[in-house]
Amino acid sequence: MNVNVTQLSKRYDGDVVAVDGVDITFPSGQTTVIVGPSGSGKSTLLNLIAGLLLPTTGSIHFGNRDVTRIPPEDRNIGFVFQSYALFPHMTAEENVGFGLLESRLPASQRAEIVESTMRRFGIERLRRRRPGELSGGEKQRVALARALARRPAVLLLDEPLAALDAQLRERLRSELKSIFASLNVTTIHVTHDRSEAMLLGDSVVVMNEGRVLQHDTPQRIYRQPANVFLARFFGDANLIEGHLDATGRHIDTALGSLAVSEPGATAGPVVAVIRPEMLALAPSHPDFTVRVEHAEFLGSRWRVEGISERAGRIIIDLPGDVAIAAGESLPLRLTRDSVHVIAAEDIAIGAHHEPDLTVTRRS
Ligand code: ADP
């Protein structure tokens, strides 16, 4: 079942427009991750979809059903927050089974669902423990199992891994990836963590200032960011100014003439997005050279910051098995036949500020 939000806006008292005319289709059975800096409106959007907030304008549909004014308990959703919100006096098993009590299923069938859901999350041996006797990761597994046991039509996750330490977060997110892949539930997952978004999202919605900047696969957002904000948000990028010719196929840049990977933008000033790993050493036929300012050895690779006389500061990722020292001159070539360009009207979006990734922790 698709979830559709149409022209959805939310204005809080004090005139903050937290969500501003958002249109998104969340595809049935897939995981869509909403990511963006703190204050970009992610939680507000999720709370609107959950029915915990009413929109100022716009509508929300679950399949063909208009749920815009339907209370949360009648939307058939599962919701998991950063804080686990488990019932402290109930065992893990009772917590997981709680949402099934109203289901009118016979007790034996409820017990089977609880058992299989707990197995899915690897928590069946914890069934008799109360939340006070569980670690953070275990509590969050119980919370996820509780949300899913009811077989909700839509699963909503608000920073479910943010309270866990880094190691546990990585482990649980790989587990979630395979659990979601086997589940076929329409899942909407909010996070500020870009690697979590890339790993877990079948598609990713990037928000800033209440608006959707791009909704696409993680690969396309990384390779074909729609504007400068997005190019910087998902990893480092060399943004090389250029001029797109009248055919829309080539740009002139300080690094030479480059072919455009998606021709068709209007001729004029553009920015080419060159990721650090799109450059390689080329001792015999370099396209250009840089002088190494700073080189960090990261094991499998070097992260190099250099200066090109023609194009200014350039970031390069090079294999870790060569020797690189500050001050030396590196002959480089572009490893792609063509580059992605950001059109003139999209250059200004994000050009003047780095994304602010401070996390707001909700208590
Ligand atoms: P995110 O989840 O991306 O951090 P939020 O949806 O929490 O963003 O907030 C979006 C904007 O709305 C922010 O400017 C925030 O300060 C504001 N905001 C959030 N909740 C409220 C509220 N209850 N009343 C007024 N403003 C709010």
Side-chain angles (χ1 to χ4, degrees):
M1 194 190 62
N2 282 351
V3 171
N4 275 293
V5 304
T6 311
Q7 279 301 300
L8 199 66
S9 295
K10 176 67 185 178
R11 180 188 293 268
Y12 288 113
D13 296 342
D15 260 13
V16 179
V17 183
V19 170
D20 191 1
V22 164
D23 292 301
I24 308 174
T25 296
F26 299 93
S28 180
Q30 294 193 6
T31 299
T32 306
V33 178
I34 303 172
V35 66
S38 171
S40 56
K42 308 180 295 292
S43 296
T44 301
L45 177 58
L46 199 72
N47 287 331
L48 289 168
I49 297 169
L52 299 170
L53 288 172
L54 278 179
T56 312
T57 59
S59 64
I60 304 165
H61 285 78
F62 287 6
N64 293 327
R65 182 175 175 228
D66 185 341
V67 298
T68 315
R69 313 242 150 225
I70 305 275
E73 60 274 20
D74 297 331
R75 292 190 184 195
N76 192 16
I77 50 172
F79 205 130
V80 179
F81 302 91
Q82 177 181 331
S83 60
Y84 323 106
L86 296 175
F87 301 112
H89 58 286
M90 290 186 190
T91 63
E93 188 174 49
E94 287 163 348
N95 265 286
V96 174
F98 180 78
L100 290 170
L101 290 177
E102 296 166 9
S103 66
R104 299 207 202 105
L105 292 171
S108 62
Q109 209 172 334
R110 291 202 309 261
E112 261 172 46
I113 295 172
V114 168
E115 178 64 22
S116 67
T117 313
M118 291 187 88
R119 261 205 313 274
R120 208 185 262 282
F121 283 92
I123 50 173
E124 65 275 27
R125 68 192 165 78
L126 307 173
R127 62 168 65 82
R128 309 252 178 268
R129 299 228 199 135
R130 288 175 212 284
E133 301 160 326
L134 298 171
S135 72
E138 289 165 347
K139 274 190 260 196
Q140 201 55 308
R141 285 184 171 84
V142 173
L144 286 157
R146 182 178 61 179
L148 280 167
R150 303 173 46 219
R151 315 244 164 109
V154 180
L155 179 64
L156 304 173
L157 308 172
D158 192 355
E159 301 268 12
L161 308 180
L164 308 176
D165 68 55
Q167 228 178 347
L168 191 55
R169 194 161 60 225
E170 264 181 41
R171 208 171 69 219
L172 196 50
R173 79 181 175 205
S174 316
E175 275 177 39
L176 283 184
K177 172 97 185 156
S178 54
I179 291 171
F180 290 158
S182 68
L183 270 177
N184 204 26
V185 174
T186 308
T187 301
I188 305 175
H189 179 150
V190 159
T191 182
H192 69 280
D193 181 329
R194 294 168 286 180
S195 42
E196 192 171 308
M198 291 226 180
L199 182 79
L200 288 175
D202 295 309
S203 69
V204 173
V205 171
V206 185
M207 289 188 71
N208 194 38
E209 297 177 348
R211 301 196 177 179
V212 173
L213 295 186
Q214 190 166 356
H215 180 190
D216 228 323
T217 62
Q219 293 80 2
R220 274 205 295 270
I221 294 180
Y222 184 76
R223 292 188 194 135
Q224 297 158 26
N227 56 49
V228 165
F229 178 94
L230 289 157
R232 289 185 177 152
F233 192 71
F234 278 111
D236 291 308
N238 297 296
L239 299 172
I240 308 289
E241 288 177 12
H243 190 92
L244 186 66
D245 71 11
T247 69
R249 292 178 176 279
H250 289 91
I251 52 170
D252 282 326
T253 73
L255 303 179
S257 172
L258 305 175
V260 173
S261 55
E262 311 101 47
T266 326
V270 293
V271 162
V273 179
I274 299 179
R275 298 282 181 197
E277 68 278 13
M278 289 165 62
L279 296 165
L281 290 173
S284 40
H285 296 292
D287 294 331
F288 65 104
T289 60
V290 300
R291 184 172 35 78
V292 176
E293 292 268 290
H294 184 72
E296 256 176 38
F297 180 61
L298 302 170
S300 63
R301 65 185 172 95
W302 287 91
R303 163 53 61 97
V304 178
E305 272 184 53
I307 301 286
S308 147
E309 265 180 29
R310 288 186 274 156
R313 198 176 81 101
I314 304 273
I315 310 167
I316 314 128
D317 281 347
L318 294 171
D321 57 0
V322 292
I324 293 174
E328 77 174 294
S329 188
L330 295 179
L332 295 173
R333 68 181 170 85
L334 192 62
T335 59
R336 305 288 195 278
D337 295 335
S338 61
V339 293
H340 172 71
V341 299
I342 293 171
E345 62 270 27
D346 300 319
I347 294 174
I349 301 174
H352 302 298
H353 68 286
E354 291 288 323
D356 163 20
L357 297 173
T358 340
V359 190
T360 348
R361 293 210 178 264
R362 276 172 282 271
S363 50

